[in-house]
Amino acid sequence: MTHGTEPTPVGKQLGTPIVQPDVDEAELVARLKARDERAFEEFERTYAARVFAMAKRICGDEHDAADATQEAFAGAYRTLAGFDGRSKLSTWLTRIVINKCLVKLRTRRRRPAVSLDELLPTFEADGHATVPAPHWRRLEEEEASGRLAELVREQLERLPDHYRVVLILRDVQGLSTEEVAHVFDETPNAVKIRLHRARQALKALLDPHMRQEKMS
Amino acid sequence: MSDQKDEAHQPIDLTCRDAYAFLQAYIEGELQAALRAAFDQHLAECSSCRRYVAQYEAVIAAMRSSHGVVDGVVDGVVDGGVDSAAGGVPAMPQGLLSAIRSLRPVA
């Protein structure tokens, strides 16, 4: 079990979808370790739906998400005895389910992802952008109609998993940079770089769909 | 020495390339004051970068709203059903909660 060597996130709450603010985690963990049936019930009722929701966002497929959720709980129960409380229970569970999802993604390749390098901005020798940012249609209208959100969902699927998952964890799930780094065993700086590239690439994918029609 | 001092007091002049590189730190409030002022100055002068920043921020906002993220407490999870008390958290497929229950370690 790798948990014992994990760094301890101090004073950080995991992103909103899995965290359960009212749960006394230390007390719950102690009861789980004592195999208290009511503690298992509480643990599952607290986290199962949110773990599934996170898995569905990452896997993009309900069947894989259900498998990953089940495997995550199996893994959690299998390694519960070694959980030493140095990280939050929710952080620990998140890390387990994301790893299960990543295995699913590796074995079930979706449509070929775009090449990220082709989507990143380029610059002239004097530092000016080679192509100025296009004019988008009115953002307020696109947001209000839900069209922008729909486009984001569509285009997000075209990004390589490595970038897509970071975007989901950081911008959808609301995990902090440090928490994402903890999940991937990377430095916060590496996560920041990947996140910035992913956001830039996603914006570039949205550009053709959001570009304002030229006035004649 | 005086040259060094003058250099230190030179205004920071950012290019579009610099602005794109600092953008994430800018919107997350991580830029040091002098750099932030230089970033703002660049935005005041560059309409392309102003659009880029607005669109980048819109992408982040749309990411959050595009996936129906909900805050709050999950209560009353229903296997395969929708429970309004769950605050909009997607219902789990039929049988998943039962399958998870079957995984509990034996007392």
Side-chain angles (χ1 to χ4, degrees), chain B:
Chain B
M1 186 68 187
S2 63
D3 283 351
Q4 284 178 357
K5 188 177 177 184
D6 288 343
E7 191 119 326
H9 287 82
Q10 289 275 326
I12 303 171
D13 191 15
L14 297 187
T15 64
C16 299
R17 185 201 301 270
D18 300 325
Y20 280 45
F22 291 135
L23 170 54
Q24 185 166 249
Y26 175 77
I27 64 168
E28 292 183 1
E30 294 174 352
L31 280 190
Q32 179 252 353
L35 209 45
R36 183 170 189 85
F39 197 104
D40 285 332
Q41 182 62 36
H42 180 79
L43 288 191
E45 295 164 357
C46 180
S47 59
S48 174
C49 281
R50 278 201 303 278
R51 287 196 299 278
Y52 197 91
V53 172
Q55 291 161 5
Y56 186 98
E57 288 181 312
V59 168
I60 296 171
M63 277 290 292
R64 190 151 182 84
S65 64
S66 67
H67 286 72
V69 173
V70 290
D71 296 331
V73 173
V74 178
D75 191 17
V77 172
V78 176
D79 206 3
V82 178
D83 187 350
S84 58
V89 172
M92 292 188 293
Q94 186 77 40
L96 180 55
L97 198 57
S98 306
I100 291 170
R101 283 184 179 127
S102 72
L103 299 168
R104 292 176 188 174
V106 180

Side-chain angles (χ1 to χ4, degrees), chain A residues 24-142:
Chain A
D24 180 344
E25 288 198 345
E27 190 252 345
L28 180 59
V29 169
R31 287 166 51 218
L32 286 170
K33 286 186 176 180
R35 303 198 171 174
D36 173 348
E37 279 297 306
R38 286 174 63 188
F40 286 120
E41 189 70 25
E42 188 180 334
F43 179 62
E44 291 155 4
R45 289 173 68 85
T46 301
Y47 295 112
R50 290 182 185 274
V51 166
F52 173 71
M54 177 184 271
K56 194 173 169 193
R57 284 181 195 123
I58 294 172
C59 294
D61 175 273
E62 187 157 304
H63 182 77
D64 280 352
D67 277 356
T69 302
Q70 206 170 321
E71 288 167 14
F73 274 87
Y77 287 150
R78 200 166 44 245
T79 54
L80 184 62
F83 181 77
D84 59 10
R86 291 201 305 150
S87 63
K88 287 174 69 75
L89 185 63
S90 48
T91 304
W92 177 68
L93 189 56
T94 297
R95 187 170 172 151
I96 294 172
V97 71
I98 289 169
N99 280 322
K100 300 295 180 192
C101 291
L102 291 175
V103 170
K104 296 274 173 212
L105 289 173
R106 278 183 212 119
T107 54
R108 187 191 289 259
R109 185 56 249 172
R110 300 167 304 132
R111 62 180 160 173
V114 293
S115 161
L116 211 78
D117 285 341
E118 291 170 15
L119 296 171
L120 296 179
T122 55
F123 302 92
E124 305 289 352
D126 65 1
H128 280 90
T130 309
V131 180
H135 289 270
W136 276 12
R137 294 193 296 271
R138 286 179 62 85
L139 271 173
E140 299 82 358
E141 290 167 15
E142 297 301 317

